[in-house]
Amino acid sequence: MKYREQFPRQVRRDDVWIPTRDGRTRLHARIWRPEDAETDPVPALLEYLPYRKSDWTAPRDAQRHPWYAGHGYASVRLDIRGHGDSEGTPGDEYDAQELADGVDIVNWLAAQPWCTGAVGMFGISWGGFNALQIAALAPEPLKAIVTVCSTDDRYDNDVHYTGGAVLGIDMLAWAGTMLAFASRPPDPANVGRDRWLPMWRERLDALEPFLHTWLAHQERDDYWRHGSVCEDYSALDAAVLAVGGWNDPYRDTVLRLVEHLPEDKVRGLVGPWSHQYPDRGLPPGPAIGFLQETLRWWDQHLKGADTGVMREPRLRAWINEPVPPATSYDVMPGRWVGEAVWPSPSVTWDERPLGSGGDPVLVRSPQHTGLDSGRFFPFGNASDLPPDQREEDGRSVCFDSAPLQTRVEILGRPRVRLRLDSATPRANVIARLCDVAPDGSSTLVTRGVLNLLSRHGRDQAVEWTPGTYEDVEVELTGIGYAFPPGHRIRVAVSDSYWPWVWPHGERGQLTVVPADSALLLPVRDPAHDEGREPIRFEEPEQAPPLPVTYDQPADPRAERLVTHDVAKGEWTLEVDPNYGGSRTYPDGLRYEESARETYRIRTDDPLSATAVSEWTIRLRRGDALWNELGDDHGIELGDDHAKGHGNDWDAEIVTRTELRATSADFIMDSRVEARANGETVAKRAWHRTTPRTSA
């Protein structure tokens, strides 16, 4: 990693309040821009998030916003209404208010004297989502976006549902996370010591757990169509650079965008990465010079320069070389390939029957099948990726190819077509594609889920008639991968996948006819690369890092811990999401964060499934903290927070969210307790039930 201290233009930073159209609410922004932008205006770039620019994303922000400013842009980091230091109360994710505010900000930025009138948006995950969604609203100044690890389909490619099935692991976990995040107070250093507590009380009074809303919409309805740009790709007029990683669950969005947007409006880039910006150097690598690559995008579309970025292939993708199974890789071996069009003529469909005859096979997996699924959102941590799949394969029905005689390279979304019958009206089917080495180790390549109720469309729930056979197709998530000679290609089929997929209320079984079932592989011809210039990127470059001190526990707890109560037949998975833990900032802010997710299920009982998310967050600043930590944590207090000024601030939030189910209903319990300087500010609790219409 190269840290750049000198830039073509000198940079200043300002914290500003930006008005919205209601005239009552101001949003808080941090703006880095060239010092001479008043006389030599620049385009503006907006990153728009609920994740708190003053602390949670501050280290990441310091890597990129000053870098963009030094290269001739006003780079803006904005807190969404009701989050961080912005006024107002938090709403649902990507709600109409959030998007309207975003349009207001784009227009405000374009009107500033230091702005040329051209605006871009960028972001990862939430920020990538609303960049796409605001672009679909087409504010005139918004000319280009960079959307990273985001989705065009909020129902079937987000944290709520997959293949029409409830995502047990992230439906609950992300709802619990956002309950904790939305409960955090504004910082008195930014909003004023007389305002922060009333603002916080207003937020806490307005809280409503996301989980209630998400489970009230179990089919693809208008709630999910809102913000899903796949409903009308033609609404996107801004130029779109879509970026993803093969270890991120949203990667299929890149493939869909490059397929459906006009050639002169889109480019796609998919690397081996997790749910992270590609320049951060977090596993798996290799990292690339992503800031330099996006600068080419901005200069092309916001400054009118010919940077050559639109002469790049429509899709640049990484092909993973085979590796032994592991939960983390510093660098994933492989190579870059380019496709001028997508779908590509270099990719053809290879249909491989799962069997040549014989009797149907029964699929009746233990309920704890899926414990080796890995993290839904790999984040660059040590336990993110799925381990050796042999135990999972043993809990599934497997169909193996003969040892391969030649290399088989795939790029795209494999499919598994199954002729099957279900013994119950409601069931899930899960298909995993694995690479089996000669030593028997099994590496997960990709996977897919289908809730059989949604087999005729995600907008409807059609129960199965037991005793009848149908052909169903499970679409797996996209991948670039090379199976080597001597290895076997395995399709593993199960009807359980906990905790990724919430089980239906009745234990059933599937009957599959292998001879009438098949794996469809998008096989890529490497000869397509002959005579082409190799795809290269610069080495990562960033602005100097923010000097944050992270705690290093003497005895860190396990990120993923599986235990088995043999007598009860109960399996427990405990997860530490490890978003960074506790840390101390150079301005004297102490941010402490602890989270734990717990998933339980009994081998033979789908109704035993429970999921719990627990969070504790504490923010502190002032004399008491100085006396406790002092120089050991490198605190350098500015004038506003100097020792002896009596400006102690201590805010703490404790949350708990639980999900369980009967055969008829989902049951949700959530609670929040907030304290300021040891005194309770608010206690809130919710108990909700909602019918199981599709799940």
Side-chain angles (χ1 to χ4, degrees):
M1 179 68 67
K2 177 182 177 182
Y3 296 119
R4 185 164 180 174
E5 308 232 11
Q6 299 297 320
F7 299 106
R9 297 177 73 167
Q10 296 297 309
V11 176
R12 61 178 288 177
R13 195 195 86 180
D14 300 293
D15 285 2
V16 301
W17 293 99
I18 301 178
T20 58
R21 70 184 70 178
D22 64 17
R24 301 184 303 275
T25 305
R26 300 175 303 164
L27 307 185
H28 200 257
R30 184 158 289 166
I31 302 176
W32 293 261
R33 59 183 174 90
E35 286 188 344
D36 60 350
E38 296 277 0
T39 56
D40 186 6
V42 296
L45 305 176
L46 171 63
E47 186 177 22
Y48 181 41
L49 291 171
Y51 300 143
R52 300 175 64 92
K53 63 184 174 352
S54 297
D55 43 66
W56 210 69
T57 67
R60 189 180 80 192
D61 297 343
Q63 296 171 327
R64 58 204 66 249
H65 289 278
W67 193 95
Y68 284 139
H71 287 85
Y73 288 86
S75 198
V76 181
R77 174 63 178 85
L78 182 74
D79 285 337
I80 284 173
R81 176 187 294 250
H83 293 272
D85 298 317
S86 287
E87 297 174 345
T89 57
D92 193 8
E93 57 179 8
Y94 325 121
D95 64 10
Q97 182 66 69
E98 175 185 329
L99 301 186
D101 286 347
V103 170
D104 291 347
I105 300 305
V106 166
N107 290 326
W108 184 90
L109 292 172
Q112 298 311 297
W114 39 258
C115 182
T116 61
V119 179
M121 286 188 71
F122 72 92
I124 180 171
S125 198
W126 195 305
F129 275 69
N130 62 34
L132 271 174
Q133 294 164 11
I134 292 169
L137 297 176
E140 192 280 330
L142 186 61
K143 307 301 184 185
I145 68 170
V146 176
T147 179
V148 184
C149 296
S150 73
T151 186
D152 59 341
D153 185 347
R154 291 188 56 224
Y155 177 73
D156 216 29
N157 195 191
D158 201 348
V159 298
H160 321 98
Y161 298 88
T162 182
V166 168
L167 268 170
I169 197 164
D170 252 57
M171 173 75 82
L172 179 283
W174 195 244
T177 297
M178 284 309 301
L179 181 62
F181 282 8
S183 300
R184 295 176 296 187
D187 191 330
N190 295 319
V191 304
R193 298 194 62 82
D194 59 338
R195 296 188 64 225
W196 80 271
L197 189 54
M199 288 177 65
W200 193 21
R201 291 184 188 276
E202 182 185 25
R203 290 183 189 181
L204 293 168
D205 288 344
L207 283 177
E208 180 69 24
F210 286 176
L211 189 61
H212 303 165
T213 304
W214 295 345
L215 280 174
H217 299 272
Q218 292 169 35
E219 297 84 37
R220 183 184 179 86
D221 57 13
D222 287 343
Y223 174 78
W224 300 113
R225 293 185 185 102
H226 164 79
S228 293
V229 300
C230 64
E231 294 292 317
D232 181 10
Y233 289 111
S234 68
L236 289 165
D237 187 53
V240 177
L241 176 59
V243 183
W246 292 136
N247 287 292
D248 179 76
Y250 297 155
R251 58 200 189 245
D252 292 336
T253 293
V254 179
L255 304 182
R256 290 191 293 265
L257 289 171
V258 296
E259 177 179 357
H260 291 288
L261 295 183
E263 193 275 339
D264 64 343
K265 289 291 187 181
V266 69
R267 288 296 181 270
L269 175 63
V270 188
W273 311 299
S274 63
H275 195 71
Q276 294 284 357
Y277 278 122
D279 58 316
R280 298 196 69 196
L282 295 168
I288 65 169
F290 184 63
L291 291 177
Q292 300 97 301
E293 191 65 20
T294 57
L295 185 64
R296 296 174 66 205
W297 189 256
W298 303 130
D299 285 353
Q300 177 85 33
H301 296 289
L302 301 183
K303 292 184 177 179
D306 183 1
T307 65
V309 71
M310 298 310 290
R311 292 190 293 276
E312 299 288 358
R314 188 179 182 92
L315 174 66
R316 287 173 287 176
W318 180 264
I319 303 294
N320 289 319
E321 292 293 328
V323 289
T327 59
S328 180
Y329 305 93
D330 288 339
V331 174
M332 185 72 73
R335 78 183 198 285
W336 289 103
V337 300
E339 302 292 352
V341 296
W342 189 261
S344 170
S346 71
V347 177
T348 57
W349 286 101
D350 180 6
E351 182 170 331
R352 299 172 176 237
L354 299 188
S356 58
D359 296 330
V361 297
L362 299 181
V363 179
R364 193 172 191 264
S365 303
Q367 294 298 302
H368 65 283
T369 305
L371 287 177
D372 284 341
S373 58
R375 185 172 181 168
F376 182 72
F377 272 114
F379 210 67
N381 292 332
S383 66
D384 278 358
L385 306 183
D388 194 318
Q389 295 290 283
R390 277 182 277 198
E391 290 189 34
E392 295 283 62
D393 294 348
R395 296 187 279 260
S396 308
V397 172
C398 295
F399 305 94
D400 289 3
S401 73
L404 299 175
Q405 299 301 306
T406 60
R407 173 187 172 100
V408 176
E409 185 174 292
I410 63 173
L411 178 62
R413 299 194 67 182
R415 307 195 303 271
V416 175
R417 188 177 65 240
L418 297 170
R419 184 158 183 80
L420 61 81
D421 178 26
S422 173
T424 53
R426 297 177 174 224
N428 296 315
V429 59
I430 298 90
R432 291 179 293 112
L433 181 65
C434 297
D435 177 2
V436 182
D439 66 0
S441 61
S442 179
T443 300
L444 182 68
V445 176
T446 185
R447 58 197 148 189
V449 174
L450 177 63
N451 179 354
L452 293 181
L453 272 71
S454 69
R455 66 194 182 279
H456 298 308
R458 301 295 190 260
D459 59 345
Q460 54 189 306
V462 179
E463 291 191 339
W464 196 279
T465 302
T468 61
Y469 281 90
E470 293 186 33
D471 291 321
V472 301
E473 194 165 271
V474 183
E475 195 167 22
L476 314 188
T477 48
I479 193 65
Y481 190 86
F483 294 90
H487 286 218
R488 296 175 185 263
I489 297 175
R490 171 172 291 168
V491 175
V493 179
S494 65
D495 62 346
S496 301
Y497 205 54
W498 174 259
W500 270 49
V501 176
W502 200 277
H504 287 288
E506 184 179 2
R507 181 76 186 275
Q509 69 179 24
L510 306 175
T511 304
V512 174
V513 183
D516 295 332
S517 303
L519 167 66
L520 292 87
L521 285 178
V523 175
R524 184 179 186 276
D525 183 2
H528 181 74
D529 302 326
E530 293 177 4
R532 293 177 177 268
E533 285 291 322
I535 293 171
R536 295 188 176 93
F537 296 93
E538 295 184 51
E539 292 300 310
E541 179 179 294
Q542 298 172 351
L546 191 69
V548 177
T549 303
Y550 291 89
D551 288 7
Q552 301 295 328
D555 185 21
R557 64 186 183 185
E559 285 182 355
R560 294 180 69 87
L561 178 65
V562 176
T563 56
H564 180 202
D565 186 325
V566 177
K568 293 173 62 178
E570 182 176 77
W571 294 79
T572 302
L573 170 64
E574 296 178 79
V575 177
D576 179 355
N578 193 9
Y579 288 123
S582 298
R583 66 213 81 157
T584 306
Y585 291 84
D587 67 351
L589 175 67
R590 173 73 172 165
Y591 184 101
E592 298 168 356
E593 178 179 279
S594 176
R596 201 68 170 170
E597 301 162 16
T598 305
Y599 306 92
R600 288 190 172 88
I601 201 164
R602 290 198 294 275
T603 299
D604 59 353
D605 183 6
L607 294 179
S608 65
T610 62
V612 176
S613 168
E614 298 173 292
W615 278 81
T616 300
I617 298 173
R618 188 180 183 190
L619 299 98
R620 296 188 286 162
R621 184 189 280 115
D623 295 357
L625 177 63
W626 173 265
N627 292 333
E628 178 182 335
L629 301 179
D631 293 333
D632 291 342
H633 281 69
I635 299 176
E636 299 177 3
L637 300 181
D639 292 340
D640 292 339
H641 315 292
K643 187 175 186 295
H645 283 199
N647 287 332
D648 284 346
W649 178 54
D650 189 342
E652 186 175 27
I653 309 101
V654 179
T655 69
R656 187 180 192 276
T657 305
E658 179 178 357
L659 178 62
R660 59 193 189 280
T662 66
S663 59
D665 297 304
F666 281 110
I667 304 167
M668 298 159 274
D669 287 287
S670 304
R671 65 174 183 259
V672 174
E673 182 173 358
R675 294 185 284 269
N677 296 321
E679 300 291 328
T680 298
V681 172
K683 281 187 177 181
R684 298 206 58 192
W686 299 264
H687 174 79
R688 298 284 190 278
T689 63
T690 194
R692 300 180 68 163
T693 59
S694 284

